[in-house]
């Protein structure tokens, strides 16, 4: 399906009701795959979110943010869980990708997300 698998260099760093998040064991230089979050609701898999960052910063009224990319795969309707806003509360099942920079969050296709990851030099 193209969902990124994690190797032994990753550790679970946070677990809460309905989700677990992983990150690299050791700090990585930019750009890198910064995290994975798996959400499960009602004891079934809801979505996986892979986050990437290239290290570039931009200023907002709230301070500085980093350019980042989120690649999300919904196993069931995005509306059926708490992260439906990522998919604009659509009945989406499958890929939703969002690129965040000084222009805000923009939807990009899975092919565009893959191209961004490749352009940043991140190996998958």
């Amino acid at each position: 399906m193209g969902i990124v698998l994690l190797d032994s260099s990753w550790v679970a760093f946070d677990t809460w009701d309905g989700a677990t998040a992983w990150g690299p064991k050791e700090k990585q230089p930019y750009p890198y795959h910064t995290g994975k979050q798996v959400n499960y609701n009602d004891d079934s898999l809801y979505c996986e979110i892979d986050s990437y960052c290239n290290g570039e910063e931009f200023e907002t009224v709230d301070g500085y943010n980093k350019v980042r990319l989120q690649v999300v795969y919904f196993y069931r309707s995005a509306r059926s869980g708490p992260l439906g806003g990522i998919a604009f509360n659509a009945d989406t099942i499958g890929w939703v990708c969002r690129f965040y920079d000084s222009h805000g969050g923009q939807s990009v296709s899975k092919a565009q997300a893959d191209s961004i990851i490749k352009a940043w030099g991140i190996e998958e």
Side-chain angles (χ1 to χ4, degrees):
M1 289 175 37
I3 296 172
V4 176
L5 302 176
L6 303 179
D7 62 27
S8 62
S9 68
W10 286 67
V11 293
F13 64 83
D14 204 358
T15 300
W16 58 98
D17 187 33
T20 301
W22 288 267
K25 283 181 191 176
E26 298 183 21
K27 184 157 176 57
Q28 303 291 310
Y30 290 106
Y32 74 105
H33 183 186
T34 58
K36 178 183 275 288
Q37 179 177 317
V38 176
N39 289 72
Y40 34 90
N41 299 338
D42 301 323
D43 294 326
S44 66
L45 195 53
Y46 169 57
C47 73
E48 289 191 37
I49 304 170
D50 285 284
S51 300
Y52 303 86
C53 185
N54 72 353
E56 291 179 37
E57 289 188 337
F58 59 94
E59 189 172 7
T60 70
V61 294
D62 297 323
Y64 286 93
N65 289 310
K66 290 200 181 330
V67 173
R68 62 190 170 90
L69 174 70
Q70 282 188 321
V71 179
V72 184
Y73 189 87
F74 286 98
Y75 291 95
R76 51 193 174 101
S77 171
R79 279 190 188 158
S80 70
L83 300 175
I86 294 172
F88 304 103
N89 290 311
D91 281 328
T92 301
I93 296 174
W95 296 106
V96 173
C97 304
R98 303 278 295 160
F99 180 75
Y100 298 89
D101 65 4
S102 61
H103 303 292
Q106 307 150 42
S107 291
V108 296
S109 69
K110 176 64 165 75
Q112 288 171 312
D114 290 343
S115 178
I116 291 167
I117 292 166
K118 184 176 180 179
W120 286 353
I122 300 171
E123 296 298 321
E124 290 300 310

